[in-house]
Amino acid sequence: MVRWMKKNPRGKRPKLHYGWIVVLAGMFAAIGAHGFSRFAYTVILPSMKEGLKLTYTQMGFLGTGNFAGYLFFATVGGFLAARYGSRVVIALSLLLISISMILTGISQYFEFALLMRILTGVGNGGAYVPAMALGSTWFAAKRRGLATGVVAAGIGVGTLLSGIVVPQILLAYGLEGWRVSWFLLGSAVFAIAVLNYVFVRDRPEQKGLKPVGAEIDALSTGAKPTVSGRPEALKWGLVYRAREVWQLGLVYFMYGFSYIIYATFFAAYLTREGGLTSIEAGGLWAIVGALSILSGPISGSLSDLLGRKYGSAIVYLILATSYLIFALVKTSPAFYLSAVLFGVIAWGIPTIMAAFAGDYVGPRLAPAGLGFITLFFGIGQALGPAVGGYIADATGSFTQAFLLSFVMSLVGAAGSLLLKKRAYRG
């Protein structure tokens, strides 16, 4: 039985382990860092384009600037969290997101908006990676997949909320709606920053606790769980010298490259080649967002049950099936089936990779390990749209681009099966 509860001193009533409070705070961090600061941008952008008189090239640069900031600090933020603690890094990064989003709302020129989007990306990377690593810090190996999945659920929740709330703001405030959207979303992220600073703790030892599931792990390994007030020494070589971590990064690259092609060209393909209207395509993407709330917990639990490499391989195969159906069967039922398959497993690979990183480098270095492999994911995410767009221009269709996503996912599945089961031993 999963020991989510801990008896109080009198033994009368089970008490919620503080680890669950920490990962729930992490889920809110993901809501702010990804759902509000990153994915709300897609909904706000058309109105923002009109308000600032932007060209399509400038719109693209705003997205690139945000991503560049994220890619840089996702790696740096992970190492800072391992060195100085996740609580401070997450809270300060969310504060930076909040300020830069609010300042985006007062932008009068493209250059200022670009700077703010870069800073938002920096905060995004600094908040999201340590938040995703909280499950590895507060939960033992047998439970950290589910815990990390709870944090990842925030991506879907934030995306869904942005898709519901922002259009209403734009409708209510007209030409100034995009500014109001940034003000309100930035204020919400500020509240999330305060919440994380109040509730997140860097390690279970700070609350006099053992990680959730430590007793179960001890029974399976024969080790005796202990509670120590002294943190383990930081062994950075476990992160950047270990061959297993590099292999994990390469597997993560396959996800970044393949999923972003599907996500980037989803609506364009449906309207251009699938016969759907923009409203229908948008509604289908909203379904993906809603279903993706479950993807983290489902995938994380699967990896806890079957093992990380088998869980990762299964997720990759489901994604590959989604891409293949999308590319070859151009009917509305097939599009819906593809969207459902993608949605229920959308954030599965990031969830499993975060848990895998904790398995490889240990709880204390988990943010650094995840930050390091996120660099591979980010490179794949940067290359995917460019390659997919080039293929679409060259062939006159997105079909081959989605088939490439299918092949890359198969490679990801094969690579997952080659990963070793290497438990951290200090």
PDB file of all heavy atoms in Angstrom, residues 369-384:
ATOM      1  N   GLY A 369      20.710  17.467 -12.912  1.00  0.00           N
ATOM      2  CA  GLY A 369      20.616  16.408 -13.918  1.00  0.00           C
ATOM      3  C   GLY A 369      19.522  16.675 -14.924  1.00  0.00           C
ATOM      4  O   GLY A 369      19.713  16.519 -16.139  1.00  0.00           O
ATOM      5  N   LEU A 370      18.362  17.110 -14.432  1.00  0.00           N
ATOM      6  CA  LEU A 370      17.258  17.418 -15.337  1.00  0.00           C
ATOM      7  C   LEU A 370      17.602  18.627 -16.200  1.00  0.00           C
ATOM      8  O   LEU A 370      17.279  18.663 -17.400  1.00  0.00           O
ATOM      9  CB  LEU A 370      15.979  17.672 -14.536  1.00  0.00           C
ATOM     10  CG  LEU A 370      14.738  18.030 -15.346  1.00  0.00           C
ATOM     11  CD1 LEU A 370      14.413  16.957 -16.379  1.00  0.00           C
ATOM     12  CD2 LEU A 370      13.539  18.253 -14.426  1.00  0.00           C
ATOM     13  N   GLY A 371      18.256  19.632 -15.613  1.00  0.00           N
ATOM     14  CA  GLY A 371      18.652  20.798 -16.394  1.00  0.00           C
ATOM     15  C   GLY A 371      19.609  20.438 -17.514  1.00  0.00           C
ATOM     16  O   GLY A 371      19.496  20.959 -18.625  1.00  0.00           O
ATOM     17  N   PHE A 372      20.519  19.512 -17.243  1.00  0.00           N
ATOM     18  CA  PHE A 372      21.496  19.111 -18.249  1.00  0.00           C
ATOM     19  C   PHE A 372      20.824  18.393 -19.417  1.00  0.00           C
ATOM     20  O   PHE A 372      21.083  18.706 -20.591  1.00  0.00           O
ATOM     21  CB  PHE A 372      22.556  18.203 -17.611  1.00  0.00           C
ATOM     22  CG  PHE A 372      23.643  17.793 -18.551  1.00  0.00           C
ATOM     23  CD1 PHE A 372      24.571  18.704 -19.005  1.00  0.00           C
ATOM     24  CD2 PHE A 372      23.746  16.474 -18.981  1.00  0.00           C
ATOM     25  CE1 PHE A 372      25.587  18.326 -19.881  1.00  0.00           C
ATOM     26  CE2 PHE A 372      24.746  16.083 -19.862  1.00  0.00           C
ATOM     27  CZ  PHE A 372      25.672  17.014 -20.303  1.00  0.00           C
ATOM     28  N   ILE A 373      19.940  17.428 -19.139  1.00  0.00           N
ATOM     29  CA  ILE A 373      19.303  16.712 -20.245  1.00  0.00           C
ATOM     30  C   ILE A 373      18.260  17.582 -20.947  1.00  0.00           C
ATOM     31  O   ILE A 373      17.928  17.338 -22.114  1.00  0.00           O
ATOM     32  CB  ILE A 373      18.665  15.384 -19.788  1.00  0.00           C
ATOM     33  CG1 ILE A 373      17.503  15.624 -18.821  1.00  0.00           C
ATOM     34  CG2 ILE A 373      19.718  14.472 -19.167  1.00  0.00           C
ATOM     35  CD1 ILE A 373      16.725  14.346 -18.498  1.00  0.00           C
ATOM     36  N   THR A 374      17.765  18.624 -20.257  1.00  0.00           N
ATOM     37  CA  THR A 374      16.835  19.553 -20.900  1.00  0.00           C
ATOM     38  C   THR A 374      17.523  20.309 -22.027  1.00  0.00           C
ATOM     39  O   THR A 374      16.878  20.745 -22.985  1.00  0.00           O
ATOM     40  CB  THR A 374      16.249  20.533 -19.867  1.00  0.00           C
ATOM     41  OG1 THR A 374      15.490  19.795 -18.900  1.00  0.00           O
ATOM     42  CG2 THR A 374      15.321  21.553 -20.518  1.00  0.00           C
ATOM     43  N   LEU A 375      18.842  20.461 -21.936  1.00  0.00           N
ATOM     44  CA  LEU A 375      19.592  21.093 -23.022  1.00  0.00           C
ATOM     45  C   LEU A 375      19.417  20.298 -24.315  1.00  0.00           C
ATOM     46  O   LEU A 375      19.214  20.872 -25.392  1.00  0.00           O
ATOM     47  CB  LEU A 375      21.069  21.188 -22.643  1.00  0.00           C
ATOM     48  CG  LEU A 375      22.006  21.793 -23.684  1.00  0.00           C
ATOM     49  CD1 LEU A 375      21.641  23.243 -23.949  1.00  0.00           C
ATOM     50  CD2 LEU A 375      23.458  21.696 -23.203  1.00  0.00           C
ATOM     51  N   PHE A 376      19.463  18.976 -24.240  1.00  0.00           N
ATOM     52  CA  PHE A 376      19.264  18.126 -25.419  1.00  0.00           C
ATOM     53  C   PHE A 376      17.837  18.281 -25.947  1.00  0.00           C
ATOM     54  O   PHE A 376      17.617  18.404 -27.155  1.00  0.00           O
ATOM     55  CB  PHE A 376      19.512  16.661 -25.057  1.00  0.00           C
ATOM     56  CG  PHE A 376      20.934  16.338 -24.711  1.00  0.00           C
ATOM     57  CD1 PHE A 376      21.445  16.614 -23.454  1.00  0.00           C
ATOM     58  CD2 PHE A 376      21.772  15.747 -25.645  1.00  0.00           C
ATOM     59  CE1 PHE A 376      22.756  16.315 -23.127  1.00  0.00           C
ATOM     60  CE2 PHE A 376      23.086  15.433 -25.341  1.00  0.00           C
ATOM     61  CZ  PHE A 376      23.577  15.721 -24.075  1.00  0.00           C
ATOM     62  N   PHE A 377      16.878  18.239 -25.025  1.00  0.00           N
ATOM     63  CA  PHE A 377      15.476  18.432 -25.393  1.00  0.00           C
ATOM     64  C   PHE A 377      15.281  19.773 -26.096  1.00  0.00           C
ATOM     65  O   PHE A 377      14.590  19.864 -27.124  1.00  0.00           O
ATOM     66  CB  PHE A 377      14.611  18.367 -24.133  1.00  0.00           C
ATOM     67  CG  PHE A 377      13.260  19.001 -24.257  1.00  0.00           C
ATOM     68  CD1 PHE A 377      12.227  18.347 -24.914  1.00  0.00           C
ATOM     69  CD2 PHE A 377      13.009  20.252 -23.703  1.00  0.00           C
ATOM     70  CE1 PHE A 377      10.972  18.925 -25.017  1.00  0.00           C
ATOM     71  CE2 PHE A 377      11.763  20.836 -23.807  1.00  0.00           C
ATOM     72  CZ  PHE A 377      10.741  20.172 -24.468  1.00  0.00           C
ATOM     73  N   GLY A 378      15.907  20.820 -25.559  1.00  0.00           N
ATOM     74  CA  GLY A 378      15.751  22.154 -26.131  1.00  0.00           C
ATOM     75  C   GLY A 378      16.327  22.271 -27.527  1.00  0.00           C
ATOM     76  O   GLY A 378      15.746  22.928 -28.392  1.00  0.00           O
ATOM     77  N   ILE A 379      17.464  21.621 -27.751  1.00  0.00           N
ATOM     78  CA  ILE A 379      18.054  21.639 -29.097  1.00  0.00           C
ATOM     79  C   ILE A 379      17.113  20.957 -30.084  1.00  0.00           C
ATOM     80  O   ILE A 379      16.885  21.450 -31.198  1.00  0.00           O
ATOM     81  CB  ILE A 379      19.433  20.960 -29.090  1.00  0.00           C
ATOM     82  CG1 ILE A 379      20.418  21.797 -28.265  1.00  0.00           C
ATOM     83  CG2 ILE A 379      19.948  20.777 -30.516  1.00  0.00           C
ATOM     84  CD1 ILE A 379      21.752  21.117 -28.025  1.00  0.00           C
ATOM     85  N   GLY A 380      16.549  19.830 -29.674  1.00  0.00           N
ATOM     86  CA  GLY A 380      15.581  19.143 -30.538  1.00  0.00           C
ATOM     87  C   GLY A 380      14.358  19.993 -30.802  1.00  0.00           C
ATOM     88  O   GLY A 380      13.857  20.053 -31.937  1.00  0.00           O
ATOM     89  N   GLN A 381      13.901  20.699 -29.787  1.00  0.00           N
ATOM     90  CA  GLN A 381      12.723  21.554 -29.925  1.00  0.00           C
ATOM     91  C   GLN A 381      13.015  22.747 -30.829  1.00  0.00           C
ATOM     92  O   GLN A 381      12.109  23.246 -31.507  1.00  0.00           O
ATOM     93  CB  GLN A 381      12.269  22.025 -28.545  1.00  0.00           C
ATOM     94  CG  GLN A 381      10.911  22.678 -28.537  1.00  0.00           C
ATOM     95  CD  GLN A 381      10.402  22.946 -27.138  1.00  0.00           C
ATOM     96  OE1 GLN A 381       9.301  22.572 -26.781  1.00  0.00           O
ATOM     97  NE2 GLN A 381      11.207  23.605 -26.324  1.00  0.00           N
ATOM     98  N   ALA A 382      14.257  23.200 -30.843  1.00  0.00           N
ATOM     99  CA  ALA A 382      14.636  24.309 -31.728  1.00  0.00           C
ATOM    100  C   ALA A 382      14.734  23.857 -33.177  1.00  0.00           C
ATOM    101  O   ALA A 382      14.346  24.586 -34.096  1.00  0.00           O
ATOM    102  CB  ALA A 382      15.968  24.905 -31.269  1.00  0.00           C
ATOM    103  N   LEU A 383      15.243  22.647 -33.401  1.00  0.00           N
ATOM    104  CA  LEU A 383      15.439  22.157 -34.764  1.00  0.00           C
ATOM    105  C   LEU A 383      14.146  21.670 -35.410  1.00  0.00           C
ATOM    106  O   LEU A 383      13.961  21.811 -36.626  1.00  0.00           O
ATOM    107  CB  LEU A 383      16.461  21.015 -34.761  1.00  0.00           C
ATOM    108  CG  LEU A 383      17.905  21.371 -34.402  1.00  0.00           C
ATOM    109  CD1 LEU A 383      18.753  20.108 -34.330  1.00  0.00           C
ATOM    110  CD2 LEU A 383      18.479  22.343 -35.414  1.00  0.00           C
ATOM    111  N   GLY A 384      13.248  21.099 -34.625  1.00  0.00           N
ATOM    112  CA  GLY A 384      12.047  20.472 -35.164  1.00  0.00           C
ATOM    113  C   GLY A 384      11.216  21.350 -36.084  1.00  0.00           C
ATOM    114  O   GLY A 384      10.940  20.969 -37.234  1.00  0.00           O
TER     115      GLY A 384
END
